[in-house]
Amino acid sequence: MLHYRVSALLVVGALGLLGACDTTTTPTDRIAVKHTEWPQYGRDHGGERFSELNQINKANVHELEVAWIHKAGELDAIRSGEQPFNPWQATPLLLDDTLLSCTPTGRVIALDPRTGEERWTFDPQVTFSSFGHSFVKCRGVSSYIHPEKQQNEHCYRRIIWGTADLRVFALDARTGERCDDFGVEDGTPGEIQFDAGGPLDFQDEVQIHAPPAMAGNVAVFGSTLADMLRIAAPSGMIRAIDARSGELLWTFDPVPRDSNDPAAATWEDNSNLRVGAGNAWSLLSADPENGLVFVPTTSPSADLLGHYRTGDNRYTDSLVALAAETGEVVWHFQFVHHDLWDYDLPSQPILTDIEHEGKITPAVIQLTKQGMVFAFNRLTGEPLFPIEERPVPQGSEIDGEVLSPTQPFSSIPSLVDHHLTEEDMWGFTFWDRNACIDALNSYRNEGIYTPPSVKGSVRMPASAGGMNWGGGAVDPTSATLVVPTLHMPQIHRLIPRAEFDPENASPFLFPMDDTDYLAEFIFLVSPLGAPCTAPPWGRLSGIDMTTGELLWQVPLGSVERLAKQAVGIPVPLEYGTPMAGGPVATAGGLTFIAASADDKFRAFDTLTGEKLWETKLPAGGQATPMTYAIDETQYLVIVAGGHPYYGTAQGDYIIAYTLKQGD
């Protein structure tokens, strides 16, 4: 659940050229498009992130130009407080005739979708602590239509979202006014306050970053916890409310507290009563037609140690299908038994239909930090591709630690390597490659799921992924899944508390209070700061979800900007970069994604991976784009706010693109 900034020191070893986009194509006639909305974060409730719009297509994507830019003033709001710069990772919604987005500080802004002019803004006045362990964020809002109101009534169509101080708001989507029938039992119309479920060490220890999953009249919220701080972390409970009134309907704790719950038997010595977390910090999905909510859960506290929580520790690190009306478990699958690697579920479950054994099957696809893709029948939990329990490395040096002898592996080929050898080490020169070999050999390195150690253990993929919260997009017309991945090794090291030297502390050090160790995370890089694995370090892949076959894999990102920062010379090598953000696919045969650390926005051919268009953003696009049509014109929109972990340019922009107008 963490992202890590990587040193940008790169050697100018060779020159390369960015793939030039063909701009000589004769302009094509525009395809007429009807008004279309983008009513939820992933367009639909299940996060497929596919638009049927095709006015912008492979033949004319090179004609895209900026239609408008809205500057939100968010940087001024952030800098006036005590927080460092906060990443803006929201995906806007298009509802009727209004474009809506939340900002890192929790504000909601409403724009004219044709011009970007502000129509209204709502500021919940969120207060932030200065602890700085976890950035304040808002990834989006959700929309809801009240079934008992008329279309012209106040709060017939409303937006619902949560804030960093665990409040939930409901506003009229047209006017931005509070819904006076929501939260009235608490005495504050349009607002409710969640109980954190226990004492917090600091104000922002538990936050709401993601928009709720909407299933009928039920809005379901996950939460983000500042992780690796202590064993007795706050509960990662899932909360469901009535979208009409704000009434709390049910809660679900991924750490089962009831001894009658079958999952409680996977926590020995009643350890389920002593730990926290297991929260769902990423995005949830819903299947309103079948009354299901899909929850991707995280690791239990305090992440890299587990001798005090022996057992598989279910429902953590699991995809849990809950009944939307009651919160009861319908089915679940655990991806990591007894997690010691921070390999929690990072991305939104994708609900789509897949042809399986000759018939169309309602599916849910789950992406993982391990670089593996899993797919299930979303009604029953039956795997659509075989899953094998394979033996994994054993032999923990921590007293009392009992490792799981096996872990689940998908039969769909992993998109990321799971074991590094000397032959895999890379460098711009023999000198830095040999340094990488020496470094690799100095750590414990037995492949994926190597136990944490005091000398340091190699993680490939890193706990930042593989996949992360940006997730993937599915083009249902071709059953193609498009997903970005990170390909950089990491070192996890346990530091005995008695030997800890605060004068030489790593910037990525986590206290894990109530244990005998601290945790240190660093990337495995050469003396020149480049990852020790061969580029591309950031990639975009296409997978045929009918067969599980990898169709293509291409670099995502150029090191041009990073090289200029490091050595003063922009070297346009498409080596891929660290990233945060996801893709959107369209019926025009295109996949759009920014995400990379080079401040660029790109379009790829969904079927082949060919890059067809790219443009420079005024700030890092560490968000997921969206698209809509209004007045027979298709717009493509991205939030460009930057991200401090990736060193991208800071900003507070919402940018819209359309095809060039005729002369």
Side-chain angles (χ1 to χ4, degrees):
M1 62 188 74
L2 299 170
H3 303 278
Y4 308 95
R5 183 176 178 182
V6 180
S7 170
L9 295 177
L10 298 169
V11 166
V12 184
L15 292 178
L17 295 176
L18 285 169
C21 297
D22 179 9
T23 58
T24 61
T25 305
T26 302
T28 56
D29 293 334
R30 290 194 180 195
I31 298 170
V33 289
K34 296 181 179 179
H35 179 95
T36 62
E37 295 186 335
W38 192 278
Q40 306 296 341
Y41 176 92
R43 193 194 66 81
D44 59 11
H45 295 285
E48 200 172 48
R49 303 186 197 173
F50 175 78
S51 170
E52 66 274 18
L53 294 173
N54 64 352
Q55 185 179 82
I56 302 169
N57 53 58
K58 291 187 284 188
N60 61 22
V61 66
H62 63 276
E63 299 174 28
L64 281 175
E65 64 180 6
V66 174
W68 53 260
I69 297 177
H70 176 83
K71 198 170 189 309
E74 192 70 3
L75 288 183
D76 294 336
I78 292 169
R79 288 166 178 165
S80 65
E82 296 181 333
Q83 276 280 327
F85 174 70
N86 294 306
W88 196 358
Q89 299 177 333
T91 296
L93 305 186
L94 192 282
L95 304 178
D96 295 326
D97 192 33
T98 303
L99 191 72
L100 298 129
S101 178
C102 63
T103 72
T105 58
R107 291 190 303 133
V108 172
I109 53 178
L111 309 179
D112 184 319
R114 304 168 186 82
T115 65
E117 294 180 3
E118 185 175 293
R119 288 180 171 165
W120 56 259
T121 184
F122 177 86
D123 189 349
Q125 297 293 317
V126 179
T127 58
F128 312 122
S129 74
S130 57
F131 183 75
H133 180 83
S134 181
F135 288 111
V136 176
K137 304 171 186 172
C138 180
R139 291 198 171 107
V141 301
S142 294
S143 71
Y144 169 74
I145 294 177
H146 198 303
E148 298 155 17
K149 290 180 178 286
Q150 299 300 312
Q151 191 167 355
N152 60 349
E153 283 188 77
H154 174 66
C155 281
Y156 160 76
R157 191 163 201 178
R158 61 186 62 184
I159 56 171
I160 300 174
W161 83 105
T163 61
D165 51 8
L166 294 183
R167 288 182 292 162
V168 172
F169 292 84
L171 304 182
D172 185 291
R174 293 174 299 175
T175 66
E177 297 173 347
R178 291 172 178 258
C179 294
D180 52 18
D181 55 357
F182 182 94
V184 292
E185 291 185 2
D186 294 337
T188 310
E191 174 184 342
I192 62 173
Q193 174 73 61
F194 282 156
D195 185 340
L200 303 180
D201 271 5
F202 58 97
Q203 177 182 323
D204 301 326
E205 191 173 8
V206 182
Q207 304 178 21
I208 300 173
H209 288 173
M214 305 299 298
N217 295 321
V218 182
V220 186
F221 290 83
S223 62
T224 296
L225 272 64
D227 56 335
M228 286 182 280
L229 297 187
R230 54 191 170 115
I231 291 178
S235 166
M237 72 173 63
I238 310 301
R239 301 168 176 87
I241 64 170
D242 188 314
R244 296 164 295 187
S245 66
E247 176 190 0
L248 183 67
L249 299 177
W250 52 262
T251 62
F252 168 76
D253 195 329
V255 178
R257 312 296 180 175
D258 185 350
S259 61
N260 294 317
D261 189 319
T266 67
W267 300 75
E268 295 186 11
D269 300 322
N270 295 319
S271 56
N272 53 313
L273 304 180
R274 299 192 298 271
V275 307
N279 54 300
W281 64 267
S282 190
L283 295 120
L284 283 61
S285 289
D287 181 348
E289 182 178 348
N290 292 296
L292 295 173
V293 175
F294 295 88
V295 180
T297 67
T298 67
S299 51
S301 56
D303 296 78
L304 300 195
L305 289 172
H307 59 285
Y308 49 85
R309 51 175 171 88
T310 304
D312 280 355
N313 307 146
R314 303 176 190 259
Y315 304 98
T316 64
D317 295 289
S318 300
L319 178 61
V320 186
L322 301 176
E325 293 292 331
T326 65
E328 295 179 357
V329 176
V330 178
W331 63 265
H332 65 98
F333 181 86
Q334 188 177 54
F335 297 88
V336 185
H337 311 317
H338 192 69
D339 188 2
L340 304 175
W341 304 272
D342 195 27
Y343 278 158
D344 49 17
L345 293 188
S347 60
Q348 182 179 22
I350 304 171
L351 309 190
T352 189
D353 293 335
I354 293 176
E355 183 179 346
H356 178 67
E357 296 181 347
K359 60 182 180 181
I360 302 300
T361 301
V364 54
I365 300 169
Q366 184 61 59
L367 309 177
T368 66
K369 288 183 176 180
Q370 301 93 299
M372 291 186 278
V373 178
F374 295 80
F376 305 87
N377 181 314
R378 68 174 178 264
L379 304 183
T380 67
E382 175 190 2
L384 299 184
F385 295 89
I387 299 171
E388 178 186 4
E389 287 282 341
R390 297 180 190 171
V392 293
Q394 298 293 293
S396 173
E397 61 188 48
I398 305 302
D399 290 342
E401 187 67 85
V402 181
L403 299 164
S404 175
T406 64
Q407 295 289 354
F409 287 78
S410 174
S411 60
I412 299 175
S414 174
L415 298 180
V416 184
D417 293 336
H418 284 166
H419 192 188
L420 296 179
T421 66
E422 290 186 4
E423 288 70 29
D424 297 314
M425 294 296 95
W426 181 90
F428 287 100
T429 68
F430 287 115
W431 169 70
D432 56 315
R433 180 176 183 270
N434 287 335
C436 284
I437 292 174
D438 291 342
L440 180 74
N441 291 332
S442 71
Y443 299 114
R444 185 170 179 181
N445 177 32
E446 299 157 36
I448 193 170
Y449 300 117
T450 297
S453 63
V454 172
K455 71 183 296 186
S457 297
V458 176
R459 295 283 171 270
M460 185 63 185
S463 58
M467 295 81 158
N468 212 287
W469 69 266
V474 171
D475 181 342
T477 65
S478 62
T480 302
L481 166 70
V482 181
V483 59
T485 48
L486 182 64
H487 297 249
M488 297 171 61
Q490 190 178 51
I491 306 300
H492 288 188
R493 188 165 73 93
L494 298 176
I495 302 175
R497 198 171 301 276
E499 301 174 12
F500 173 58
D501 178 9
E503 296 296 324
N504 297 305
S506 163
F508 297 116
L509 192 70
F510 302 91
M512 297 203 299
D513 287 347
D514 307 318
T515 77
D516 293 331
Y517 298 89
L518 296 88
E520 180 186 53
F521 287 25
I522 59 173
F523 277 101
L524 181 61
V525 295
S526 76
L528 302 170
C532 283
T533 47
W537 301 307
R539 304 176 193 179
L540 191 68
S541 302
I543 301 173
D544 184 333
M545 288 307 300
T546 301
T547 64
E549 175 189 3
L550 177 64
L551 300 175
W552 50 264
Q553 192 170 76
V554 297
L556 181 58
S558 164
V559 298
E560 178 180 9
R561 188 187 62 81
L562 300 178
K564 185 175 182 180
Q565 284 182 345
V567 295
I569 303 174
V571 185
L573 295 172
E574 295 233 356
Y575 276 4
T577 71
M579 70 187 77
V584 57
T586 74
L590 298 168
T591 294
F592 293 95
I593 185 169
S596 54
D598 57 7
D599 298 348
K600 291 186 178 181
F601 190 16
R602 295 175 171 89
F604 296 85
D605 186 316
T606 300
L607 296 182
T608 68
E610 179 185 1
K611 186 179 67 176
L612 301 177
W613 172 79
E614 72 176 24
T615 189
K616 186 75 171 178
L617 295 169
Q622 278 65 63
T624 300
M626 53 84 74
T627 186
Y628 60 89
I630 198 164
D631 297 339
E632 299 187 348
T633 297
Q634 182 180 355
Y635 291 81
L636 175 69
V637 172
I638 182 76
V639 165
H643 197 300
Y645 284 156
Y646 304 100
T648 51
Q650 297 183 4
D652 50 8
Y653 306 95
I654 300 178
I655 306 172
Y657 298 84
T658 57
L659 295 173
K660 292 180 181 178
Q661 303 295 319
D663 294 333

